[in-house]
Amino acid sequence: ELPTLLAEFMGFYPEVQVSLHLSNHVDLAEDGIDVELRFGPVENENLIVRKLLQVPMVVCASPIYWKKHGKPTQPSQLAQHDALTLIREGVHPVWRFEDKGKPVDVRVNSRMEATEGGPLVEVALHGFGVIYVPALAVQPQIDHGELVPVLQKYARQDMWVSAAYLQRRHNSAALRALLDYLQHRAKSRGRFKREVPPGTVPVPAVAGASYYLIRVHSALDSMTLVERLIREHKVATIPGSAFAD
């Protein structure tokens, strides 16, 4: 979904150049990154964070797995199951849930771990474990009965796709335009929906522990950029943006 949104953005702002990177580790200042898009909490207090989209989480496994091992009725029971987890270097895997608004952490036993969510979804489909992933990553499989969700009332509600950036980077007209565009699109859609061909395993828009890192640049300053595009009728201002009337 993100590449599609970037393509739409470049259509609105043809004077802007975009550089996209996918990485597990980043230092925005050192690496010269304008903005990082990440899924999950942003703990760096030096960054400005703009929440774009709340993403529901889901615990699920294949019907074969649940038939063999039984479905949990409480989050704590997941400690007795085969978990398929994302790699957190030096940290035992812990899944966070909510019970009546309070966080509940469950230390799970990982049968397989990976740096990205896609392989874990594939293994879960074959009946070898339980995954805890963004719902958008597995909705087609749930809809087709290939994966069965459990513990839905306990799923954490604090997971967002967020844009994080340094204060000095926000002075960039191109970055402000990109942030406004992404926020407008997130609000208009409610969630990013994607059409997935039958039989394929979708990868989350922001998968696993990886971050989408973006550099945006325009040789034109803020007002020149906007005025030129409007004058040449190449783009209309986006409703709700910093550049709208």
Side-chain angles (χ1 to χ4, degrees):
E1 180 69 15
L2 180 61
T4 299
L5 293 176
L6 290 177
E8 294 174 356
F9 169 76
M10 289 188 293
F12 277 110
Y13 295 99
E15 300 286 352
V16 175
Q17 295 82 47
V18 177
S19 179
L20 177 65
H21 307 262
L22 183 62
S23 175
N24 287 317
H25 304 283
V26 62
D27 184 314
L28 268 64
E30 183 177 330
D31 298 333
I33 299 297
D34 290 308
V35 61
E36 67 173 81
L37 300 183
R38 71 162 69 183
F39 173 68
V42 180
E43 299 176 353
N44 188 337
E45 296 180 354
N46 296 319
L47 298 179
I48 298 174
V49 179
R50 186 184 293 195
K51 292 181 177 179
L52 300 175
L53 183 72
Q54 188 174 20
V55 180
M57 297 290 291
V58 62
V59 176
C60 55
S62 71
I64 293 175
Y65 179 91
W66 291 137
K67 184 177 180 179
K68 182 177 180 180
H69 299 277
K71 294 180 181 179
T73 58
Q74 297 289 328
S76 60
Q77 295 172 353
L78 288 169
Q80 279 69 55
H81 284 266
D82 296 330
L84 307 173
T85 65
L86 293 168
I87 292 175
R88 298 288 186 263
E89 190 171 342
V91 178
H92 190 93
V94 173
W95 287 351
R96 170 157 291 188
F97 298 89
E98 291 183 12
D99 188 3
K100 299 178 181 178
K102 296 182 179 180
V104 176
D105 290 335
V106 178
R107 189 180 174 97
V108 296
N109 296 307
S110 182
R111 185 172 185 188
M112 175 182 171
E113 58 182 12
T115 57
E116 299 293 334
L120 301 180
V121 173
E122 188 69 52
V123 172
L125 286 167
H126 284 82
F128 292 108
V130 182
I131 52 176
Y132 189 27
V133 296
L136 61 86
V138 292
Q139 196 60 55
Q141 287 74 21
I142 291 175
D143 292 343
H144 289 96
E146 299 169 289
L147 293 173
V148 178
V150 298
L151 302 173
Q152 290 176 284
K153 69 177 182 179
Y154 296 105
R156 63 188 302 177
Q157 303 296 315
D158 61 343
M159 301 299 281
W160 291 75
V161 174
S162 302
Y165 53 93
L166 295 167
Q167 173 65 49
R168 64 177 179 271
R169 296 281 182 181
H170 192 246
N171 293 327
S172 159
L175 176 58
R176 294 203 309 273
L178 175 62
L179 293 173
D180 283 345
Y181 180 76
L182 291 176
Q183 191 157 45
H184 171 72
R185 294 298 281 155
K187 287 181 178 179
S188 66
R189 295 188 182 193
R191 67 177 62 184
F192 298 149
K193 296 181 180 179
R194 295 174 295 161
E195 294 297 328
V196 181
T200 64
V201 178
V203 178
V206 181
S210 298
Y211 312 139
Y212 280 112
L213 312 175
I214 302 175
R215 295 188 185 96
V216 286
H217 171 72
S218 173
L220 305 179
D221 62 37
S222 175
M223 292 312 300
T224 303
L225 172 64
V226 177
E227 289 173 357
R228 176 173 173 178
L229 297 180
I230 294 175
R231 183 174 64 249
E232 296 180 0
H233 305 288
K234 289 183 178 180
V235 61
T237 53
I238 301 170
S241 77
F243 304 132
D245 293 334

